[in-house]
């Protein structure tokens, strides 16, 4: 048996054992730790959704072999388990074959496999596939938040928008149409890109369904607000065009993490002209993560009725996200970006996009995993703070196709 750690000394060739080393921490209260509170929160969560899924898996996949002692295991893999098997929708969520059925769900994932707006390294057309594949690694439960998405909401995967390779404008029209359909249904649209040019048609799809004013919180290293790039509306231009929409003001655009050596002066000039809001990494380090979130919310929500969140994975230091089109050192640490994201999502959102995941350049799926974490972190925050579905009152001009 291993002996407890003690202080000891040698004296006159003899080994003398001393008392156990013990430091007293009178202010430590384990019941006040997040770890203990998470224990308590888990005990209050339902298991009804999990039991329903297990029964469904047995019905759809046949009961398992007689030799199995766990009688909840089917013959054919259905649902979450095992993580390495099955058809990978996002988080193993139900695939909505008929997209008219998205209205039955609280939120719907939309893949946007498009990289014709890329100006350097292509590959983000494979982003939705990469994100879905590694999402199988996750469960719907988050320990710190005390949230189980399977028990507290309904999530569907609507599949991918049919984009048109080599044609930005036709693809943009397809994207706007798809996002507008999901938003109009009442489901919260969650877009998996795709390069950042999709930011404009995604926001346009939502904006056309409401008369309300929309703010944008944008995580990035790049300012992405110049008018054109290489004579087209590329992934460096989405916020120029989005903030031209009648109910999307540039003064409600908050950009977090901008900086480095890849910020074109054209974009800086346009941002200055339009009066957008930029906080660099140095600004955020100085004022802190909580204060950053407070400022972002105050600016994005000022005179606005909803906020759209755009998360470019290259906002994170490239050492953590090699699989992206424009990697740049000096960005967020993952836990910093996720912390701010959770704080701003807690006030509600009308849509979320995660962009610039490029699997051909990824290492061990770590960039795609960041993309997964962005989506579940935002959803978890919405659920934890009772804001899931808060976008629905905005839908006063729904589209019908």
């Amino acid at each position: 048996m291993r002996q407890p750690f003690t202080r000891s000394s040698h004296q006159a060739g003899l080994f003398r054992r001393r008392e156990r080393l013990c430091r007293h921490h009178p202010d430590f209260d384990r019941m006040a730790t997040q770890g203990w509170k998470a224990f308590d929160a888990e005990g209050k969560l339902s298991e009804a959704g999990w039991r329903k899924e297990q029964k469904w898996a047995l019905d759809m996949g046949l009961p398992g072999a007689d030799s199995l002692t766990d009688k909840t295991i089917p013959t054919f893999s259905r649902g979450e388990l095992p993580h390495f098997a099955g058809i990978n929708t996002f988080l193993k969520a139900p695939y909505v074959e008929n997209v008219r059925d998205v209205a039955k769900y609280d939120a719907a994932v939309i893949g946007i496999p498009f990289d014709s707006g890329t100006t350097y390294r292509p590959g983000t057309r494979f982003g939705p596939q990469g994100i879905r594949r590694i999402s199988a690694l996750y469960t719907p439960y988050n320990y710190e938040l005390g949230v189980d998405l399977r028990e507290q909401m309904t999530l569907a995967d609507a599949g991918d928008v049919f984009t048109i390779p080599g044609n930005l404008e036709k693809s943009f029209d397809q994207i706007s149409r798809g996002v507008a359909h999901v938003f109009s249904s009442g489901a919260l649209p969650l877009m998996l890109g795709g390069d950042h040019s999709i930011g404009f048609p995604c926001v346009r799809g939502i904006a056309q369904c409401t008369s309300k004013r929309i703010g944008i919180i944008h995580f990035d290293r790049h300012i992405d607000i110049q008018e054109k790039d290489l004579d087209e509306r590329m992934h460096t231009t989405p916020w120029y065009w989005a903030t031209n929409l009648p109910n999307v003001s540039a003064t409600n655009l908050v950009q977090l993490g901008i900086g480095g050596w890849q910020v074109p002066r054209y974009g800086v000039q346009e941002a200055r002209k339009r009066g957008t809001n930029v906080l660099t990494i140095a600004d955020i380090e100085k004022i802190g993560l909580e204060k950053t979130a407070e400022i972002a919310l105050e600016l994005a929500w000022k005179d606005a009725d909803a906020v759209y969140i755009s998360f470019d994975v290259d906002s994170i230091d490239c050492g953590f996200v090699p699989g992206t089109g424009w990697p740049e050192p000096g960005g967020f640490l993952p836990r910093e970006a996720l912390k701010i994201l959770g704080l701003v999502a807690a006030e509600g959102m009308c849509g979320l996009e995660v962009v610039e995941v490029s699997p051909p350049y990824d290492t061990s799926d770590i960039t795609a995993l960041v993309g997964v974490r962005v989506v579940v972190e935002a959803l978890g925050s919405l659920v934890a703070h009772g804001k899931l579905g808060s976008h629905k009152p905005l839908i006063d001009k729904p589209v019908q196709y």
Side-chain angles (χ1 to χ4, degrees), residues 28-42 141-147 339 373 377 384:
F28 177 71
D29 177 6
R30 72 170 184 168
M31 305 293 283
T33 64
Q34 183 184 18
W36 189 267
K37 290 176 181 177
F39 287 162
D40 186 55
E42 189 280 332
Y141 166 65
N142 180 278
Y143 173 65
E144 296 100 326
L145 288 175
V147 163
K339 174 69 172 179
R373 185 64 188 266
E377 201 75 12

Side-chain angles (χ1 to χ4, degrees), residues 155-309:
L155 175 67
D157 193 323
D160 292 344
V161 172
F162 194 135
T163 56
I164 314 299
N167 193 307
L168 286 112
E169 300 307 323
K170 289 181 180 179
S171 294
F172 286 176
D173 290 345
Q174 287 280 91
I175 294 165
S176 291
R177 185 178 174 91
V179 173
H181 168 73
V182 171
F183 185 76
S184 294
S185 78
L188 178 68
L190 308 167
M191 282 66 70
L192 311 179
D195 69 56
H196 215 158
S197 67
I198 72 168
F200 162 58
C202 286
V203 171
R204 182 176 66 178
I206 292 172
Q208 74 184 65
C209 302
T210 181
S211 62
K212 308 299 184 180
R213 185 165 166 169
I214 298 171
I216 300 170
I217 295 179
H218 167 220
F219 294 77
D220 210 327
R221 290 292 276 156
H222 312 109
I223 207 158
D224 290 353
I225 196 173
Q226 61 199 70
E227 180 180 2
K228 288 187 177 182
D229 194 346
L230 307 179
D231 207 42
E232 293 285 350
R233 299 201 281 193
M234 306 295 271
H235 66 167
T236 50
T237 71
W239 310 131
Y240 179 95
W241 300 100
T243 58
N244 273 353
L245 296 168
N247 54 341
V248 184
S249 172
T251 58
N252 292 118
L253 171 61
V254 184
Q255 300 176 276
L256 305 176
I258 311 302
W261 295 83
Q262 299 171 359
V263 183
R265 292 182 63 185
Y266 306 110
V268 175
Q269 292 161 10
E270 194 63 44
R272 183 171 62 242
K273 183 194 305 182
R274 295 191 177 210
T276 71
N277 309 279
V278 172
L279 292 176
T280 68
I281 294 294
D283 289 327
I284 294 166
E285 285 183 331
K286 183 177 180 180
I287 65 179
L289 304 182
E290 288 80 4
K291 186 66 174 178
T292 295
E294 288 177 12
I295 292 170
L297 288 168
E298 181 178 339
L299 295 171
W301 280 94
K302 182 177 173 56
D303 300 322
D305 304 287
V307 164
Y308 180 89
I309 299 178

Side-chain angles (χ1 to χ4, degrees), residues 330-388:
F332 289 110
L333 295 176
R335 65 172 174 262
E336 295 172 338
L338 293 170
K339 174 69 172 179
I340 297 172
L341 173 65
L343 290 169
V344 298
E347 295 301 319
M349 61 186 187
C350 61
L352 169 73
E353 66 181 25
V354 54
V355 297
E356 298 290 351
V357 172
S358 186
Y361 293 94
D362 208 0
T363 303
S364 301
D365 297 315
I366 60 175
T367 309
L369 188 61
V370 168
V372 177
R373 185 64 188 266
V374 167
V375 178
V376 294
E377 201 75 12
L379 284 177
S381 184
L382 286 176
V383 170
H385 293 90
K387 291 294 184 177
L388 185 66

